[in-house]
Amino acid sequence: MRTRPLKVALLGCGVVGSEVARIMTTHADDLAARIGAPVELAGVAVRRPDKVREGIAPELITTDATALVKRGDIDVIVEVIGGVEPARTLITTAFEHGASVVSANKALLAQDGAALYAAAEEHGQDLYYEAAVAGAIPLVRPLRESLAGDKINRVMGIVNGTTNFILDKMDTSGAGYSEALDEATALGYAEADPTADVEGFDAAAKAAILAGIAFHTRVRLDDVYREGMTEVTAADFASAKQMGCTIKLLAICERAADGGSVTARVHPAMIPLSHPLASVREAYNAVFVEAEAAGQLMFYGPGAGGAPTASAVLGDLVAVCRNKLNEANGPGESAYTQLPVSSMGEVVTRYHISLDVADKPGVLAQVATVFAEHGVSIDTVRQQGRQDGFGEASLVVVTHRAPDAALSGTVEALRKLDTVRGVASIMRVEGE
Ligand code: NDP
Ligand code: HSE
C-alpha cells in the first residue's frame, strides 16, 4: 500500500458533507485498504466558520473555497455545496489545478454537465456524480458502465424523496400538504428551498441526467417537461383509489418508438396499486430501467438524507482515488447519438379527467364527441349524480393512450362546453 495519502478537500459540510467527513474519519482504515493508499481530509470549505463541526479539526475549516481548490496538492474535490455558483467555478478551477471531482450537485450537472465533462477531459481528471441522482441508490454507474453494452429504451422512477414522502403521507395518513412538507424538511430530505422539490425542478434535473446517460445524448434541464405536485389534492387521491391507483411524482425518460428522438418529463401520475412503484413509501426512491437485452431492472433505496447520500459520494471517492493511483480516468461524457429531445405534446400517455357536468340528457354524448374530434379514444367513463341538488354530476373519463397534445387539446375544448361546469382534476395514468 502507498503510504503517502491522497488529499481530499470537502466543499460544503452540511447535511451531506458532514456525513462524508464522518465516514471518511471512522472508516479511514477500510477506505485505505480498498483504495491502496490512505485518504486524508485536507480542507473543508464552508460559509459559517464558527459553527461547531463535530469530528472535524478546526484548522481544516476555511471560508476560502477558491484558495482550497487552487492549492495544487489536492487530489480530489468533493463538491457538496449545491446550486450553480460558486460550485461551477470551483469545480472547473479544481480541474485546472489537477484535482478530480466528486459532486452530488444535480442542479449544476443538469444545466452544465457537458461543459464540466469537457473541462474534466481537457485536464485529464474524473467527474463522478452518483449521489446526484436517487441518493444512495447505485444508478449512475450501472447506467454508465454495467449497461454500456445494452440499449436502454425507458427509465421511469420516483427520484425525489421529499415529494414521495409528502404524497405518501397525504395518501396513507390523510396529512395536509404543509404538515407533510414540514416533516420532510425536519428529516433533512427537502432542499433548503423546497420549491425545487415540490415544483419538480429537482426531479427534472435528475431526469435530464438520467436521460443523457441512458440515451447517450445531451439532455438539459430546459429540455425536461415539468409539473410539480403542489396541486395534487385529497380529491385526486380519492379518484385514484376508486381506480385502484395511487399518485406518485414520476420522472420518465423514453426513447421514441422509431428510435429517432427521446423525451424526458416529470409530473404527478396515477399508477396502479399493483405496480411496484406504488409501494415505494416515505422518502424512498425507485427507478425502473427497461433495456433491450437486460429486460426490466428495478433500483430501489433511500433517495435522500445525509448518510445515504454520503454513501454514494464515498463510493465515487473510492473509484476516483483508485483511478488517481492507476493514473487512469473513468468514463467521460457519452453523447454520440445526438438524438433530439421531443416536446411533451409528442409523448404518448393516458389521461384521467374528472369533470363537473350538468346532469341532463345529451351531456355524455357531447363530451364523447369532443374526445372523438381530437382523435382520443375513451377507455372508461364513470358518472355519479351529486346529492347537492344543483343538477350536476361528476363524470370521470379515462382515455386510451394518445399524444399529450391531443389529450390537452381535448381538455381545453371540454372547458368551453356550457354543460361542463368545471374540470375538477386531470392526471396522467402510467405504469399499465
Ligand atoms: P446543505 O445546505 O446542508 O449544505 C451546504 C454546505 O455548503 C454547507 O456546509 C454550507 O456552509 C456550504 N456552503 C454554501 N455556500 C458555500 C460557499 N459559497 N462556500 C463554501 N461553502 C458553502 O446542503 P446538502 O448537504 O443537503 O446538499 C449538498 C449537495 O448534495 C447539493 O447539491 C444537494 O442537491 C445534494 N444532495 C443532497 C441530498 C440530501 O438529501 N440533502 C441528497 C442528494 C444530493 P455552512 O455549513 O457554513 O452553511
Ligand atoms: N431534496 C432531494 C429529495 C434530495 O428530496 O430527493 C435528494 O436529491
Side-chain angles (χ1 to χ4, degrees):
M1 181 177 341
R2 189 177 100 162
T3 50
R4 187 163 55 83
L6 287 151
K7 292 193 178 177
V8 175
L10 193 54
L11 307 185
C13 192
V15 173
V16 178
S18 58
E19 284 298 311
V20 171
R22 181 185 65 77
I23 298 170
M24 277 182 70
T25 310
T26 54
H27 294 185
D29 291 345
D30 286 323
L31 291 171
R34 290 170 199 174
I35 290 166
V39 181
E40 177 192 320
L41 188 57
V44 181
V46 295
R47 243 177 339 197
R48 296 166 295 166
D50 298 331
K51 190 177 166 204
V52 176
R53 320 242 173 205
E54 212 179 304
I56 297 177
E59 62 273 18
L60 293 181
I61 301 284
T62 175
T63 52
D64 194 346
T66 306
L68 185 57
V69 298
K70 282 184 174 174
R71 252 171 60 168
D73 65 335
I74 302 294
D75 296 290
V76 186
I77 296 283
V78 174
E79 184 277 306
V80 278
I81 289 177
V84 173
E85 286 295 354
R88 175 171 50 194
T89 305
L90 291 168
I91 289 175
T92 46
T93 308
F95 291 141
E96 286 159 12
H97 288 78
S100 285
V101 172
V102 173
S103 175
N105 194 334
K106 57 255 167 170
L108 176 59
L109 285 154
Q111 185 175 308
D112 281 327
L116 294 179
Y117 266 127
E121 194 181 343
E122 183 187 344
H123 297 284
Q125 303 300 326
D126 277 334
L127 172 63
Y128 276 51
Y129 49 87
E130 183 63 70
V133 186
I137 307 174
L139 184 59
V140 171
R141 193 161 312 136
L143 292 178
R144 263 207 318 184
E145 299 183 34
S146 318
L147 290 165
D150 206 335
K151 182 178 181 189
I152 296 171
N153 290 320
R154 196 162 195 256
V155 178
M156 171 166 112
I158 295 166
V159 293
N160 183 270
T162 304
T163 48
N164 200 53
F165 184 89
I166 295 170
L167 290 171
D168 182 42
K169 288 276 162 204
M170 288 172 78
D171 188 18
T172 54
S173 72
Y177 167 75
S178 315
E179 188 191 337
L181 173 61
D182 287 349
E183 206 176 332
T185 306
L187 289 167
Y189 302 141
E191 302 290 314
D193 176 1
T195 312
D197 293 305
V198 299
E199 294 296 351
F201 289 101
D202 176 81
K206 292 166 179 168
I209 294 169
L210 290 177
I213 304 171
F215 306 132
H216 300 270
T217 193
R218 276 188 192 155
V219 181
R220 299 183 74 230
L221 180 59
D222 293 347
D223 297 320
V224 181
Y225 174 83
R226 178 196 54 79
E227 275 176 34
M229 46 68 68
T230 51
E231 286 173 21
V232 177
T233 62
D236 291 325
F237 274 109
S239 285
K241 277 204 173 86
Q242 284 190 330
M243 281 187 53
C245 288
T246 186
I247 298 169
K248 297 290 185 189
L249 186 74
L250 296 181
I252 305 174
C253 313
E254 288 169 312
R255 191 190 289 277
D258 67 2
S261 62
V262 298
T263 52
R265 55 190 162 119
V266 167
H267 54 73
M270 290 186 183
I271 52 167
L273 291 171
S274 57
H275 193 284
L277 286 179
S279 51
V280 176
R281 305 280 313 273
E282 303 202 323
Y284 280 85
N285 285 190
V287 178
F288 265 121
V289 177
E290 294 175 25
E292 207 168 80
Q296 289 189 328
L297 307 167
M298 182 158 160
F299 299 83
Y300 171 84
T309 308
S311 164
V313 171
L314 265 295
D316 279 352
L317 183 62
V318 169
V320 168
C321 287
R322 285 174 179 158
N323 291 345
K324 280 268 170 194
L325 288 184
N326 294 328
E327 296 181 3
N329 285 124
E333 185 187 33
S334 174
Y336 70 94
T337 62
Q338 297 184 23
L339 291 170
V341 185
S342 301
S343 68
M344 185 63 194
E346 292 175 52
V347 168
V348 177
T349 182
R350 301 175 67 199
Y351 270 26
H352 169 285
I353 304 163
S354 178
L355 304 168
D356 295 330
V357 297
D359 194 2
K360 61 183 190 186
V363 172
L364 195 54
Q366 248 186 358
V367 167
T369 302
V370 170
F371 279 88
E373 282 169 355
H374 288 80
V376 175
S377 170
I378 292 173
D379 181 17
T380 60
V381 180
R382 195 177 66 239
Q383 180 173 333
Q384 206 168 5
R386 297 216 320 228
Q387 306 303 312
D388 49 18
F390 292 109
E392 280 193 9
S394 293
L395 197 61
V396 176
V397 180
V398 182
T399 72
H400 282 297
R401 281 161 61 80
D404 202 82
L407 290 161
S408 58
T410 306
V411 174
E412 284 318 300
L414 287 170
R415 285 186 203 278
K416 290 183 187 139
L417 290 181
D418 288 344
T419 47
V420 172
R421 306 273 159 79
V423 179
S425 132
I426 311 163
M427 187 85 58
R428 295 179 184 87
V429 184
E430 296 288 340
E432 290 173 308

